[in-house]
Amino acid sequence: MTPLAVDGRLELRALEPGHVPAMFSLIDANRARLREWMPWVDAAKSIRDTRSFVSAARQATLERVAMHAGMWYDGELCGAIGIHHIDAINRRGEVGYWVCADLEGQGVVTRACRRLIRYAFEDLSLNRVEIRCDPRNSRSRSIPLRLGFREEGTLRDAQWINGRFVDLVVYGLLHREWAVTAGATSLPAAGK
Ligand SMILES: CC(C)(COP(=O)(O)OP(=O)(O)OC[C@H]1O[C@@H](n2cnc3c(N)ncnc32)[C@H](O)[C@@H]1OP(=O)(O)O)[C@@H](O)C(=O)NCCC(=O)NCCS
């Protein structure tokens, strides 16, 4: 994937081996706040763990079952965003994200999501994009709401994190709903 420009300062770059040291440092510096919401954080203990993750992420991207990118702001890695569980038959996928503490509260993730969602609908030909959030994660829940997603329901005990099950609220956006605001006309053919 060629980098996706969001604006003059923010860019999404597919993860690659050269990003591993910066990615591990950023995870390590943000570990305490990330582990509250993201189940993989405790497993990312060393640079070797991050290297394995990036390698698996690249393979998943090649197989078109996921897409993992770093968010780069003014040329510095500031977080990650991706489309997980891409289901080619049903043309759906789930967007996930995190940003470093320094850039929280500045709209970086909402802008990155908007660009990634365009990629999902226009380049991957998806019909449905989901975002799943812990009900207590109000910062995360604000993102799909800002982007015009509909709250569709709550999956009970859907995530095991920090020694307990938590619910996940599901937000969904369909291509036809996005097209109204984005100016697209019709759903691209599958496999485009
Ligand atoms: C969840 C998380 C990604 C949300 O980050 P965020 O910085 O709040 O989200 P955004 O980058 O979209 O910023 C939104 C804020 O910027 C403001 N903003 C400024 N310019 C903006 C713009 N152009 N567009 C949108 N919002 C803008 C918004 O008003 C909002 O402000 P607020 O914090 O006062 O409400 C972040 O808190 C995080 O990484 N948490 C830990 C990991 C996590 O929970 N991941 C999600 C798991 S589901």
Side-chain angles (χ1 to χ4, degrees):
M1 181 190 90
T2 50
L4 300 177
V6 178
D7 54 39
R9 306 185 76 174
L10 180 61
E11 189 172 75
L12 313 183
R13 301 183 194 160
L15 292 185
E16 54 182 71
H19 301 162
V20 167
M23 181 59 79
F24 179 70
S25 300
L26 204 61
I27 292 168
D28 215 31
N30 286 273
R31 187 173 291 284
R33 48 186 287 278
L34 296 182
R35 75 179 295 284
E36 198 179 336
W37 309 113
M38 313 195 86
W40 51 264
V41 177
D42 288 351
K45 289 184 291 296
S46 67
I47 200 159
R48 184 191 292 187
D49 297 326
T50 303
R51 194 171 293 120
S52 302
F53 166 71
V54 169
S55 166
R58 281 162 58 81
Q59 186 59 34
T61 300
L62 276 178
E63 293 169 8
R64 295 173 77 97
V65 293
M67 202 288 274
H68 296 271
M71 296 191 294
W72 294 78
Y73 192 79
D74 287 345
E76 301 277 337
L77 186 69
C78 71
I81 189 164
I83 311 173
H84 314 279
H85 307 299
I86 295 175
D87 171 348
I89 302 285
N90 298 302
R91 295 167 70 179
R92 54 168 294 278
E94 288 171 33
V95 169
Y97 39 69
W98 60 268
V99 70
C100 65
D102 293 351
L103 284 179
E104 199 172 50
Q106 298 184 36
V108 165
V109 185
T110 299
R111 297 197 317 271
C113 275
R114 191 178 286 118
R115 181 66 188 90
L116 192 67
I117 289 163
R118 190 174 124 208
Y119 177 80
F121 287 137
E122 291 188 347
D123 295 83
L124 301 181
S125 305
L126 298 189
N127 176 55
R128 171 182 167 84
V129 173
E130 283 180 17
I131 295 180
R132 298 181 175 197
C133 307
D134 184 318
R136 299 165 304 141
N137 194 345
S138 51
R139 277 197 167 275
S140 186
R141 294 181 70 171
S142 297
I143 291 172
L145 293 174
R146 248 182 237 120
L147 293 169
F149 282 60
R150 184 183 297 185
E151 184 176 322
E152 297 179 334
T154 299
L155 302 175
R156 297 173 306 142
D157 279 4
Q159 182 164 266
W160 174 258
I161 183 162
N162 300 325
R164 66 187 186 112
F165 286 111
V166 295
D167 295 347
L168 289 177
V169 182
V170 179
Y171 295 89
L173 181 69
L174 304 183
H175 177 274
R176 61 178 176 272
E177 295 161 346
W178 168 81
V180 170
T181 49
T185 47
S186 60
L187 183 62
K192 183 194 141 218

